Amino acid sequence: MRIKGLEVQFQPEHTRAPGQLSSADDVDSFIDALLNGRHDRNCAVVYSLDRPTLPSGYRDHELAVGVDRIARTGALTLADDENLVSKGTVDRGIGEYMLLGHVREFMPGSEIPIENVRQAVKEFLENGGRLPTCIEWQEEEF
């Protein structure tokens, strides 16, 4: 099976033309861009091109990825048939990340080491947009 890849949105130009990820190296570059970019762009939405769209043309899912360059942690949510969030080992309270200048909150207890974020996004790419199993997940409360 040939993987079509991922679409990402975290830069203003992505609202017109989303970024594309098609390899593990692309995922690393994407996470590095979030870590090293502007503080108001440390969160992204990711869509698998391998999953079908709804009859409306919208995607049937959304993976949100937030990273904290100082703590070297991040958090993930996957919204599809259910809303799941990464299950972290550290609880620093509500994780606030910025998606194109807008606050995106992740529930307490959802932050994981940055390397686990990388691994989960790579798995999301490689498995065609299915839930990554390399990390633990929990139901999102909000």
Side-chain angles (χ1 to χ4, degrees):
M1 176 177 117
R2 183 177 177 321
I3 299 294
K4 294 177 186 172
L6 304 175
E7 277 187 357
V8 297
Q9 297 176 9
F10 67 99
Q11 300 285 2
E13 61 269 19
H14 292 157
T15 58
R16 292 180 301 284
Q20 302 281 320
L21 308 178
S22 58
S23 69
D25 288 341
D26 289 348
V27 171
D28 283 331
S29 295
F30 157 65
I31 298 296
D32 290 343
L34 286 176
L35 285 169
N36 299 317
R38 292 176 41 163
H39 76 282
D40 63 343
R41 297 183 191 146
N42 66 352
C43 185
V45 289
V46 179
Y47 303 97
S48 173
L49 298 172
D50 293 288
R51 290 179 60 156
T53 56
L54 298 170
S56 64
Y58 289 103
R59 301 267 175 214
D60 71 342
H61 67 287
E62 180 177 275
L63 179 70
V65 180
V67 301
D68 184 319
R69 76 179 72 179
I70 296 169
R72 305 298 291 175
T73 60
L76 303 161
T77 62
L78 181 61
D80 56 8
D81 293 334
E82 53 188 333
N83 294 322
L84 300 173
V85 63
S86 48
K87 184 174 183 179
T89 55
V90 176
D91 186 352
R92 299 185 310 143
I94 294 174
E96 287 190 354
Y97 299 91
M98 299 293 289
L99 176 61
L100 293 169
H102 301 280
V103 174
R104 172 62 170 91
E105 293 182 342
F106 290 76
M107 65 182 244
S110 62
E111 292 178 302
I112 59 177
I114 198 67
E115 289 310 315
N116 295 45
V117 172
R118 286 180 194 277
Q119 185 180 3
V121 176
K122 287 175 185 177
E123 185 178 337
F124 189 71
L125 166 70
E126 294 163 0
N127 74 15
R130 291 190 308 274
L131 181 72
T133 59
C134 62
I135 63 170
E136 288 187 65
W137 295 89
Q138 58 190 327
E139 279 190 46
E140 189 169 33
E141 295 173 2
F142 56 88

